[in-house]
Amino acid sequence: MKLKIAVLAGDGIGPEIMEQGVVVMSAVAQKFGHEVSYKEALCGAHAIDEVGDPFPEETFQTCMEADAVLFASVGDPKFDNDPTAKVRPEQGLLAMRKKLGLYANVRPVETFDCLIHKSPLKNEIVSGANFVCIRELTGGMYFGEKKEGTEEAYDTNYYSRPEVERILRVAYQYARQRRKHLTVVDKANVLASSRLWRKVAQNMMGEYPDVTTDFMYVDNASMRMIQDPRFFDVMVTENTFGDILTDEGSCITGSMGLLPSASTGEHTPVFEPIHGSWPQGKGLNIANPLAQILSVAMLYEYFDLKEEGALIRKAVNASLDANVRTPEIQVEGAPKYGTREVGRWIVDYIKNN
Ligand code: IPM
Ligand code: MN
């Protein structure tokens, strides 16, 4: 297969982990005879500094012309501490989501047995937890009508029926391929927008008789996620709830540096780690490249290249088992590996297996 990849490395540790994502992508391509070409483009703080726009038109065009976008991370503390800043790196991310029509954000929450001790929860509660959160990504309060005055301010949690329908369809497709259990998370006891979600889901569930659909209020879901994460298989929810719940989900596994994500929709899909740009780790060769590398696995799988994805997952597991790990997950006393060294080990494994 021929694949054109737009490479958006962004800020902080982004360029370092991206480098490892790309070498792994190339090693797999070589092994399976795929032709992959890469085109780098600016985004985030980096792009603000260079051209004054966190998601420049040229980057948008590069994304539109590509088959997939491999994205790392954006953000810079100099913007966080400046409330008067007119543009922020995060706006680039939101612009990318909107302009590429990336309405479905897929965030798997998976535990790795050898890292389970890193979870803040009891091991017997999290062991074996494996679910996917499907977060609606281009609607709700993030993009609804806003007012930002000095005396009053609001954000509108707007959803239309077609927006809800299309994300529910994505969620049902995932549920069908997994354990056939979909939980629709909302706040229908209070919010009108949530009642629309619930009505649409109730109308649609008859079309998926093989999937068990249940409904859960978001406050209850946030509790259930830490009490009994194995309850969940596929969870679907609106943009803001999904933002909050996926951070919760990422930390229950104890390994935020290992979780990839995919965003799909109307145009080019985007694959990225769920963690941020970790400015403190920048340039130190200590950032964990595994979430970026697993994002490459999700990219291959999106194009139905299952063996390619599986080999990357196998290589990642093997690196963990061999204790080839970056400092934050390394076991006591074992040598700590850098970002590059972990990437190189995985590339070698791919070549030899
Ligand atoms: C995420 C992030 C973004 C969001 C920020 C950086 C705009 O937290 O991808 O979850 O809120 O969606
Ligand atoms: Mn978030």
Side-chain angles (χ1 to χ4, degrees):
M1 185 182 268
K2 271 192 178 170
L3 286 172
K4 266 165 93 174
I5 307 296
V7 175
L8 275 58
D11 308 315
I13 57 167
E16 292 164 70
I17 55 171
M18 180 61 85
E19 199 182 315
Q20 302 317 313
V22 167
V23 291
V24 168
M25 175 129 203
S26 298
V28 172
Q30 202 176 3
K31 180 150 195 145
F32 289 86
H34 303 303
E35 207 176 296
V36 181
S37 62
Y38 306 94
K39 189 164 175 196
E40 290 182 14
L42 291 174
C43 68
H46 206 66
I48 298 177
D49 292 342
E50 302 230 347
V51 295
D53 180 349
F55 190 64
E57 182 60 26
E58 205 185 321
T59 300
F60 173 53
Q61 287 309 329
T62 303
C63 293
M64 288 297 281
E65 286 158 17
D67 297 307
V69 178
L70 195 55
F71 187 94
S73 53
V74 294
D76 191 300
K78 75 180 175 205
F79 293 95
D80 298 341
N81 303 328
D82 177 9
T84 64
K86 294 220 158 41
V87 278
R88 293 171 186 284
E90 290 78 5
Q91 286 166 342
L93 193 60
L94 298 181
M96 178 177 78
R97 290 172 181 172
K98 198 65 177 177
K99 288 174 109 172
L100 295 179
L102 302 170
Y103 60 83
N105 180 221
V106 179
R107 296 187 170 184
V109 175
E110 228 183 299
T111 49
F112 290 79
D113 283 343
C114 62
L115 291 178
I116 209 116
H117 61 283
K118 290 268 173 193
S119 173
L121 301 182
K122 287 195 190 101
N123 294 0
E124 62 266 29
I125 288 180
V126 279
S127 174
N130 185 331
F131 63 94
V132 180
C133 182
I134 313 276
R135 168 187 175 193
E136 200 291 329
L137 203 59
T138 51
M141 273 196 277
Y142 275 63
F143 296 97
E145 192 195 321
K146 288 176 194 296
K147 177 177 175 180
E148 196 162 352
T150 50
E151 302 307 311
E152 57 171 20
Y154 59 78
D155 304 279
T156 314
N157 201 24
Y158 175 91
Y159 272 105
S160 67
R161 178 178 283 270
E163 283 177 304
V164 180
E165 267 171 11
R166 65 183 182 179
I167 188 73
L168 287 172
R169 295 222 181 270
V170 172
Y172 272 114
Q173 291 309 327
Y174 269 86
R176 274 202 162 149
Q177 285 160 29
R178 293 176 50 98
R179 302 193 302 273
K180 302 189 171 43
H181 175 200
L182 178 66
T183 305
V184 181
V185 176
D186 63 26
K187 187 71 188 169
N189 50 347
V190 177
L191 301 177
S193 51
S194 281
R195 284 191 286 273
L196 176 69
W197 273 70
R198 207 171 263 225
K199 267 184 265 175
V200 174
Q202 281 166 342
N203 281 338
M204 197 184 279
M205 56 199 266
E207 291 177 49
Y208 299 89
D210 50 325
V211 176
T212 306
T213 306
D214 50 33
F215 296 89
M216 204 182 275
Y217 296 142
V218 61
D219 43 356
N220 187 21
S222 70
M223 190 172 75
R224 193 82 192 250
M225 267 171 66
I226 52 168
Q227 268 181 345
D228 182 18
R230 280 182 297 239
F231 170 82
F232 296 102
D233 175 21
V234 178
M235 169 194 289
V236 62
T237 192
E238 60 147 90
N239 204 346
T240 307
F241 297 161
D243 177 46
I244 299 165
L245 291 178
T246 53
D247 260 32
E248 186 184 354
S250 72
C251 84
I252 62 177
T253 71
S255 51
M256 195 160 183
L258 267 73
L259 297 179
S261 75
S263 300
T264 63
E266 292 161 21
H267 304 292
T268 320
V270 175
F271 300 87
E272 58 177 312
I274 70 153
H275 61 68
S277 60
W278 196 31
Q280 303 82 350
K282 180 181 172 175
L284 301 177
N285 193 38
I286 55 172
N288 193 336
L290 295 184
Q292 188 76 57
I293 290 170
L294 288 167
S295 300
V296 174
M298 284 188 93
L299 190 162
Y300 275 119
E301 286 157 357
Y302 173 86
F303 291 101
D304 220 25
L305 301 171
K306 298 213 171 71
E307 269 184 67
E308 288 79 341
L311 180 57
I312 295 177
R313 292 177 191 282
K314 201 172 146 208
V316 165
N317 285 326
S319 73
L320 291 169
D321 289 342
N323 285 336
V324 177
R325 305 179 185 188
T326 43
E328 91 289 1
I329 54 167
Q330 186 53 298
V331 289
E332 242 178 74
K336 298 177 173 71
Y337 289 81
T339 313
R340 275 191 297 274
E341 288 68 34
V342 172
R344 198 167 303 150
W345 194 94
I346 288 175
V347 165
D348 287 342
Y349 184 95
I350 287 168
K351 284 185 181 156
N352 299 323
N353 282 273

